[in-house]
Amino acid sequence: MTTVETMSTDGQLLGTVLAVQANFYRVQLHIENKTTKVETEKTDSHPQATAPIMLCTRRTRLKKIGQQVMVGDRVVVSEPDWSGGRGAISHVLPRESELDRPAIANVDQILLAFAVTDPPLEPYQLSRFLVKAESSYVDVLLCLNKCDLISPEEEEEIAQRLRGWGYDPVFVSVYNGTNIDGLLKYLSDKITVIAGPSGVGKSSLINVLIPTVNLRVGEVSGKLARGRHTTRHTELFKLPGGGLLADTPGFNQPDLDCTPEELIYYFPEARERLAKSSCRFSDCLHRDEPDCVVRGDWERYEHYLQFLHEAIARQLQLHQQADPESTLKMKSKGQGKQQYEPKLESKKYRRVSRKTQLQELEHLYQDSED
C-alpha cells in the first residue's frame, strides 16, 4: 500500500475519466505535492495504477443540463468516499479537443497503427485512415508494425513513399521489440488515441507499451488477410513514462464525414501546394477547374477524387433529407459509378397503365350508348 497526495480545491478533487462503464465512471485523480493524503494499493484489474482511482457517478444536475461525461474528460470529483473508493462527478472542465468516433475528449494526438505486411499495407485503406485522422484536427503519428518481416531496403522504400505523402512513419516490431522505446518518447505526457484496421497488432502493441495491461489478442484471418477485432470499448491506460493511451474499437473503413470543400486540406501534400499558391477560383474542388494549383501528378490525387465523390454524395443526401423537395437525385450507373440527375415529377410524367386506358375507353363507350 502506498501513500500519494492529490490536488484538492475546497474539498473537491480533480481527475481524468479513464473509462465509462454503464452509468459509472472510473476517474484517476491528479497527483500533486500538497494537500490531501490518500492511501491506495495496486489491484489485479488495474495493477498499473499508482494514482488513486475512484468509481464515480454523475451528479443529477449534470444530467438535467445534458452534460455528457466522456473518456478523457477532466472532471471535478466531490464528496469522496475514500474507504469505498467512490465519488461523484460534479463538474466537467472545458474540453481542448473532442472526437466522436471514438467518443473521447482532450486528445493530443492520434497514433495510426498499420502493418507493413501480414496483412499487406494497402495504400487506399491507409490514405482513408489518414484523412479521417487529419479531419480530427489533432496531430497524427503513423506507426508501422512488423518491420522485422521486411528487409531494410523495403523499409526505406516505404518510408520514402510516405514522406512524399507528408508523414514520417515510425517503424516498430512488437515481435522483437524494435524501436518500442523510440515510440514511447512520442507518447510521453500526452493523451493518445491508437487506431487502425484489425490484425495489424494494436492490442499486442499496447501490451508491449504497457506491460501491466493484458489485452486479448486476435489472429489474422487467413481467408480475408484481416484481423479479428478484439477491443470492445474505449479505455485510457497509463503509460509507464507518463501520458495516457486510449485503446479503441477497431473499424476497417472509417466514414469520411467532411464537406467537399474541407477535404483537400486533409492531404498534407495538397496543403503544401496551396500554401505556395492559390487556385483561380475560391470554391475550386480541384477536379477540372482551370488554373488549379492542386490538380497534378501527386500520388494520392486519385484517392482525393474518390473521397471527393463520396463527400459530394453525402452532402447531396443530407440536403435531400433536409429538403425533400430537392430537384436532384442520385442514380447508379455501371461499374459502381453514380451520377446526379434531375428528379421528374412522378404524377406529371407517369405513364398511364393499359388497364386504366381500357377502363376509360369503356366509360366513353357507355356514355356514347346512353
Side-chain angles (χ1 to χ4, degrees), residues 198-199 202-204 215-219 227-233 247-250:
S198 300
K202 294 194 302 295
S203 296
S204 298
L215 298 182
R216 186 165 59 91
V217 178
E219 297 178 353
R228 297 183 177 91
H229 172 53
T230 57
T231 305
R232 302 302 178 193
H233 63 276
D247 189 18
T248 60

Side-chain angles (χ1 to χ4, degrees), residues 347-363:
K347 293 183 179 180
K348 182 177 180 181
Y349 294 98
R350 183 182 299 164
R351 181 178 178 179
V352 180
S353 68
R354 185 179 298 273
K355 181 178 179 181
T356 302
Q357 291 176 355
L358 290 174
Q359 289 175 346
E360 290 178 351
L361 288 175
E362 289 178 1
H363 292 158

Side-chain angles (χ1 to χ4, degrees), residues 126-335:
L126 174 57
S127 188
R128 192 179 187 91
F129 271 88
L130 287 169
V131 169
K132 179 64 176 180
E134 290 282 352
S135 69
S136 65
Y137 297 102
V138 298
D139 294 338
V140 179
L141 176 63
L142 180 57
C143 174
L144 298 181
N145 187 25
K146 305 184 182 181
C147 67
D148 58 294
L149 300 179
I150 61 174
S151 66
E153 292 77 17
E154 290 174 314
E155 180 178 315
E156 181 58 27
E157 182 180 348
I158 295 173
Q160 289 291 348
R161 183 179 185 181
L162 294 179
R163 290 186 189 114
W165 292 15
Y167 300 94
D168 193 7
V170 179
F171 290 88
V172 302
S173 171
V174 172
Y175 177 74
N176 59 21
T178 300
N179 205 25
I180 297 299
D181 290 339
L183 179 60
L184 279 170
K185 294 179 181 178
Y186 289 99
L187 309 181
S188 178
D189 298 325
K190 295 180 179 179
I191 294 182
T192 303
V193 169
I194 183 170
S198 300
V200 300
K202 294 194 302 295
S203 296
S204 298
L205 180 60
I206 294 175
N207 287 338
V208 171
L209 293 172
I210 314 173
T212 52
V213 174
N214 187 19
L215 298 182
R216 186 165 59 91
V217 178
E219 297 178 353
V220 176
S221 168
K223 183 177 180 180
L224 300 176
R226 294 178 182 175
R228 297 183 177 91
H229 172 53
T230 57
T231 305
R232 302 302 178 193
H233 63 276
T234 303
E235 184 171 357
L236 282 173
F237 298 100
K238 187 176 180 181
L239 291 160
L244 296 168
L245 182 65
D247 189 18
T248 60
F251 46 94
N252 290 327
Q253 290 293 335
D255 296 330
L256 302 180
D257 53 3
C258 60
T259 66
E261 294 78 15
E262 294 171 337
L263 178 62
I264 194 63
Y265 296 99
Y266 303 146
F267 290 81
E269 59 270 56
R271 290 201 303 263
E272 184 179 355
R273 293 178 178 230
L274 289 170
K276 296 178 181 178
S277 184
S278 58
C279 296
R280 177 179 175 183
F281 300 103
S282 59
D283 58 350
C284 183
L285 289 180
H286 319 291
R287 292 179 295 184
D288 50 11
E289 298 88 343
D291 300 326
C292 175
V293 300
V294 173
R295 188 177 66 249
D297 57 355
W298 49 289
E299 182 182 357
R300 290 203 294 166
Y301 182 61
E302 289 301 321
H303 295 173
Y304 166 75
L305 293 178
Q306 294 181 58
F307 299 157
L308 178 64
H309 181 80
E310 289 185 35
I312 293 174
R314 180 179 179 277
Q315 189 178 58
L316 179 62
Q317 184 179 17
L318 293 175
H319 176 70
Q320 289 177 339
Q321 292 174 353
D323 181 14
E325 303 299 324
S326 174
T327 59
L328 292 178
K329 67 177 181 179
M330 185 169 60
K331 188 172 182 180
S332 298
K333 297 294 184 179
Q335 299 180 346

